[in-house]
């Protein structure tokens, strides 16, 4: 039935759609859901998985250089040189398959990680309320929604209570939209379809019950995503792409020049073309995307061990660049376990009446689940009668209060609790210590003094009020002329070990700033408890009076931002980004803007859906030490990716450049096209293991930054160094040893591979290479490639690839050149990284 649903569903009421979708207000049966999922999704999932693998495989060969090479060998096959064709195609396909399987495995890791934090939806199944993964929702399901929930599908409302929805992802309008049941004209514009809810939007406040009409690609969000999917590049990704294009341009110009000169020297057209293309492939950083993906996947697996789930793989590189962490205090700086420290009247005395009001309000709340209400539900009250709930005005971040209407044995009460200033603003009377009702104006100074005192003592404080009502319908308009009852005091002690954790962040060159909605007195108390001397606190009120340019300077010296409104959090993050790479950690609806604005967004497993959806990382435990570990992994991933870039721009580029120049001076090609590709293939094995290599501690104790200038300087210095040793090899083979074609090519083949393998061990560390232990797989695969390189000329099929056994004298001289290359490269490396002091 699902695929037949009309798009303009808002023109009909809910009863029409319940009938059309064979559903009821009790929801669907599980058997019916299974049937609908099977009918609509199974074939699509199978096709998409196969298609994804095929696309990934093709992606390994999509570079223009690889495509040109494949085309050239096919033409060569038609011209009759089939043995060379098969050898080159074998090498090309083997390289592609190796990269494909590594990248595919990396992708599987990410899929498993994302499955761990799938968005949940409350749904009616078989007449019962249950939570399921949002991707299991089908048309005809009845879902229940509260503040913080993400919409898993397009729906029509069945019931709504003070429901406000953020639809900015679809309409661009940031102000929440009120929703209510009904039916509308067919031509009603999107922003005014008040009876409809849309996939990808989120509930700001209130509660609702809705019927699912359209899911997946059939939803409005699905159509938009399918037609206008745009991937946002990180700084690191853009840097890699730009540098890849830079290298490719140099490569193509050089290859074209070599081709023309070889043709002018009367060399074979096909051999010259294959030689030029093989050089181009050898110089191009074709493994770079795979290396980056595999390194990030390895980082994601290690982060999972630390209970950090990576939602967006490329964010790992961004995490490595972070030098400032912003977070709320609750659950990160403090224990996050709310304890009720007092239920008191306006002069600080314990009050049984305040206790009853608080318990009734919290125990009847059904909207935005929160730890304050959970703590209040555990208090014990004694009454000789039962109360029943008659209505609710859910909490929202504009009113900052929750109102519950109850019926006692004698009257109907409206009880509101929330932020002190918001509760006080709706009260015109107060219940004094003698339980008498007085005008609040007589006690305002005393109330304010008590509130300030509690904050200075480190208590989190909210207020509670009430009044008697006779209304049948409970709305927020009733929240006037209330009676101030008292305060709810809560304690949330600072976590053990938090000072040590903050010091570890400082050692990683990561600063910490706290952004909280609590008052400045509590913020001041927290700051002193975590060791901040002379803390500078900026309040939300002060923020309002600060212009954007002044704020950019002010935020740098501020330690804690207190009494901050939700929209101000985003403004703070944007100001900080002018001076820092910022990570922001939050778990509420009021944190979403800041999570999106930060360079790296972090949330927690028990956060509201919309916060988890916006985040790049989700923590299974709300611990700052976990973020410190995540930053280390991000920097290790960055460092390992940079190793491949340095290798490719140093020895590899230098070797290929030297081969190109030598081809102009020799009467024969210094290396055959298939030998160049085989050189590439043999070095690719250990290069892929760079992603899991060990990283020296002095590298990850500072942020990794993309710096193309340093890479270019490295490319010039080490390219020249590599070319000097290639010239030595050229002169030794051709003029000293008087080597003929096959012997010359074999000698240069061995020298090229060994220098590329050795430079990997040199470049992988900024220290002298013997002082840093390489990763196990990197070491083993490099040794295997080295042994294979030396033994290849002696194998039976060596002549097929143009190799011949070397005399011991020749082999000894090649190994001597390589040894001298290692020693000088290591000295040059230490000097280079001391000079630039950069990863």
């Amino acid at each position: 039935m699902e695929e037949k649903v009309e798009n303009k569903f808002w023109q009909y009421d809910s009863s029409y759609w319940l009938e059309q979708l064979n559903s009821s207000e009790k929801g669907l049966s599980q058997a019916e859901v299974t049937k609908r999922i099977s009918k609509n999704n199974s074939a699509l999932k199978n096709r998409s998985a196969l298609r994804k693998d095929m696309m990934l495989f093709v992606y390994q060969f999509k570079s223009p250089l690889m495509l040109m090479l494949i085309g050239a060998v096919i033409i060569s096959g038609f011209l009759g040189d089939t043995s060379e064709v098969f050898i080159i195609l074998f090498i090309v396909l083997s390289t592609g398959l190796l990269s494909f399987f590594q990248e595919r495995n990396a992708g599987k890791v990410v899929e498993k990680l994302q499955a761990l934090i799938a968005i949940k939806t409350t749904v009616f199944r078989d007449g019962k309320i249950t939570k399921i993964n949002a991707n299991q929702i089908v048309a005809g399901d009845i879902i229940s929604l509260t503040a913080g929930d993400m919409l898993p599908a397009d729906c029509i409302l069945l019931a709504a209570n003070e429901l406000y929805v953020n639809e900015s992802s679809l309409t661009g309008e940031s102000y929440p939209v009120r929703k209510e049941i009904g039916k509308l004209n067919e031509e009603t514009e999107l922003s005014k379809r008040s009876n409809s809810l849309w996939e990808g939007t989120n509930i700001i406040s209130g509660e609702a019950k809705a019927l699912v009409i359209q899911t997946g690609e059939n939803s409005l969000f699905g159509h938009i995503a399918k037609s206008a999917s745009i991937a946002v590049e990180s700084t690191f990704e853009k840097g890699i792409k730009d540098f890849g294009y830079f290298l490719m341009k140099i490569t193509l110009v050089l290859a074209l020049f070599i081709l023309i000169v070889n043709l002018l020297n009367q060399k074979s057209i096909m051999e010259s073309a294959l030689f030029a293309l093989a050089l181009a492939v050898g110089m191009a950083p074709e493994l770079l995307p795979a290396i980056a993906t595999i390194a990030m996947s390895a980082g994601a697996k290690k982060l999972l061990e630390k209970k950090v789930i990576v939602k967006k793989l490329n964010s790992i590189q961004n995490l490595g660049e972070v030098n400032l962490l912003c977070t709320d205090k609750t659950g990160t700086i403090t224990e996050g376990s709310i304890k009720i420290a007092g239920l008191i009247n306006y002069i600080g005395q314990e009050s049984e009446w305040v206790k009853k009001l608080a318990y009734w309000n919290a125990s009847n709340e059904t909207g935005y689940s929160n730890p304050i209400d959970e703590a209040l539900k555990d208090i014990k009250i004694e009454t000789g009668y039962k109360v029943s709930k008659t209505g609710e005005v859910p909490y929202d971040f504009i009113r900052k209060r929750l109102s519950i209407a109850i019926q006692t044995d004698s009257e109907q009460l409206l009880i509101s609790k929330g932020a002190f200033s918001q509760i006080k603003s709706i009260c015109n009377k107060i219940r004094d210590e003698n339980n008498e009702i007085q005008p609040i104006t007589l006690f305002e100074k005393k109330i304010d003094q008590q509130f300030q005192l509690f904050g200075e003592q480190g208590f989190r404080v909210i207020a509670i009020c009430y009044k008697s009502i006779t209304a049948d319908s409970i709305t927020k308009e009733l929240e006037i002329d209330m009676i101030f009852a008292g305060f709810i005091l809560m304690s949330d002690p600072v976590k053990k070990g938090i000072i040590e954790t903050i010091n570890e962040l400082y050692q990683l060159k990561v600063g910490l700033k706290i952004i909280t909605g609590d008052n400045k007195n509590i913020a001041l108390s927290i700051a002193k408890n975590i060791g901040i001397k002379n803390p500078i606190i900026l309040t939300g009120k002060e923020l309002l009076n600060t212009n954007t340019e002044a704020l950019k300077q002010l935020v740098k010296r501020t330690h804690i931002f207190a009494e901050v409104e939700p929209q101000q959090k985003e403004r703070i993050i944007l100001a900080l980004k002018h001076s820092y790479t910022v990570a922001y950690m939050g778990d509420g609806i009021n944190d979403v803007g800041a999570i999106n604005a930060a360079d790296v967004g972090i949330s927690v497993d028990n956060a509201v859906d919309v916060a988890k959806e916006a985040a790049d990382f989700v923590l299974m435990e709300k611990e700052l030490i976990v973020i410190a570990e995540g930053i280390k992994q991000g920097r290790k991933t960055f460092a390992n990716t940079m190793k491949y870039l340095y290798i490719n721009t140093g020895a590899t580029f230098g070797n290929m450049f030297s081969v190109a120049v030598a081809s102009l001076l020799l009467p024969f090609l210094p290396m055959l096209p298939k030998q160049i590709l085989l050189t590439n293939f043999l070095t690719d094995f250990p290069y892929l293991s760079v992603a899991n290599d060990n990283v020296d501690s002095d590298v990850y104790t500072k942020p990794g930054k993309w710096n193309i200038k340093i890479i270019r300087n490295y490319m010039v210095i080490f390219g020249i160094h590599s070319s000097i040793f290639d010239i030595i090899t050229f002169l030794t083979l051709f003029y000293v040893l008087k080597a003929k074609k096959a012997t010359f090519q074999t000698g240069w083949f061995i020298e090229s591979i060994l220098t590329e393998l050795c430079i990997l061990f040199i470049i992988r560390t900024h220290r002298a290479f013997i002082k840093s232990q390489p990763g196990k797989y990197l070491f083993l695969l490099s040794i295997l490639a080295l042994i294979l390189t030396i033994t290849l000329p002696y194998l039976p099929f060596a002549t097929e690839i143009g190799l011949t056994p070397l005399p011991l004298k020749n082999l000894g001289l090649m190994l001597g050149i390589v040894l001298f290359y290692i020693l000088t490269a290591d000295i040059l490396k230490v000097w280079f990284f001391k000079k630039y002091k950069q990863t």
Side-chain angles (χ1 to χ4, degrees), residues 507-705:
Q507 287 170 12
L508 292 170
K509 308 294 187 294
V510 178
L512 177 70
K513 294 184 187 292
I514 299 170
I515 304 176
T516 178
D518 282 343
N519 76 68
K520 64 180 181 181
N521 294 316
I522 296 176
L524 183 63
S525 173
I526 293 291
K528 290 176 179 176
N529 286 337
I530 61 175
I532 299 176
K533 295 179 181 178
N534 303 316
I536 297 172
I537 297 173
L538 186 67
T539 66
K541 189 174 181 180
E542 291 167 332
L543 269 171
L544 288 172
N545 300 317
T546 307
N547 65 47
T548 302
E549 288 305 313
L551 187 62
K552 290 176 187 176
Q553 300 305 315
L554 192 56
V555 293
K556 288 195 284 186
R557 60 177 184 267
T558 301
H559 297 101
I560 298 182
F561 302 88
E563 301 172 20
V564 171
E565 299 290 330
Q567 67 275 14
Q568 290 179 319
K569 292 184 178 183
E570 183 176 355
R571 188 180 175 215
I572 292 167
I573 297 300
L574 291 172
L576 287 167
K577 283 176 70 175
H578 285 275
S579 305
Y580 305 94
T581 301
V582 183
Y584 179 83
M585 181 173 173
D587 58 5
I589 306 168
N590 55 334
D591 293 309
V592 174
I595 290 172
N596 278 318
D599 296 291
V600 176
I602 304 169
S603 192
V604 291
D605 188 43
N606 61 353
V608 296
D609 289 347
V610 67
K612 285 198 290 185
E613 185 68 16
D616 303 304
F617 298 88
V618 176
L619 310 185
M620 304 306 284
E621 292 180 358
K622 197 173 183 181
E623 299 283 350
L624 283 188
I625 191 66
V626 173
I627 299 176
E629 288 297 326
I631 289 169
K632 286 181 188 176
Q633 284 302 326
R635 292 178 183 177
K636 288 178 182 179
T637 302
F638 179 89
N640 281 337
T641 307
M642 292 302 294
K643 286 175 190 176
Y644 175 73
L645 264 182
Y646 285 136
I647 294 160
N648 199 84
T649 54
T652 305
F653 191 84
N655 282 349
M656 294 300 115
F657 181 81
S658 301
V659 170
V661 174
S663 72
L664 308 181
L665 305 174
L666 291 170
F668 51 81
L669 293 176
M671 286 173 70
L672 297 176
K674 51 194 169 187
Q675 292 169 347
I676 294 172
L677 293 173
L678 188 57
T679 300
N680 219 32
F681 178 68
L682 287 172
T683 53
D684 279 353
F685 274 105
Y687 285 4
L688 279 171
S689 64
V690 165
N692 293 289
D693 188 26
N694 297 333
V695 176
D696 297 335
S697 59
D698 57 336
V699 171
Y700 61 74
T701 51
K702 59 182 180 295
K705 290 285 185 181

Side-chain angles (χ1 to χ4, degrees), residues 1-5 20-22 30-47 136-139 215 218:
M1 192 77 209
E2 185 175 353
E3 68 278 2
K4 296 179 183 177
V5 171
Q20 288 293 308
L21 293 167
N22 297 323
Q30 188 57 51
E32 178 62 24
V33 169
T34 303
K35 188 166 74 175
R36 294 187 185 193
I37 290 175
S38 176
K39 180 180 177 183
N40 295 309
N41 296 335
S42 297
L44 180 63
K45 283 182 180 176
N46 291 334
R47 285 199 305 272
Q136 295 297 305
I137 293 291
V138 298
T215 64
N218 295 322

Side-chain angles (χ1 to χ4, degrees), residues 252-314:
L252 285 172
V253 170
L254 184 60
L256 188 61
F257 174 74
I258 297 302
L259 173 63
I260 292 169
V261 172
N262 275 307
L263 291 175
L264 290 173
N265 288 338
Q266 309 297 314
K267 293 179 182 175
S268 161
I269 295 176
M270 187 51 64
E271 191 175 59
S272 297
L274 282 172
F275 177 74
L277 283 171
L279 272 178
V281 171
M283 286 187 284
E286 78 283 354
L287 280 183
L288 189 54
I291 293 283
T293 301
I294 296 162
M296 290 186 288
S297 173
K301 287 177 75 174
K302 287 174 183 173
L303 284 176
L304 182 60
E305 294 170 8
K306 306 292 183 183
K307 298 187 177 180
V308 180
I309 295 173
V310 181
K311 278 190 63 198
K312 302 168 186 175
L313 198 59
N314 57 22

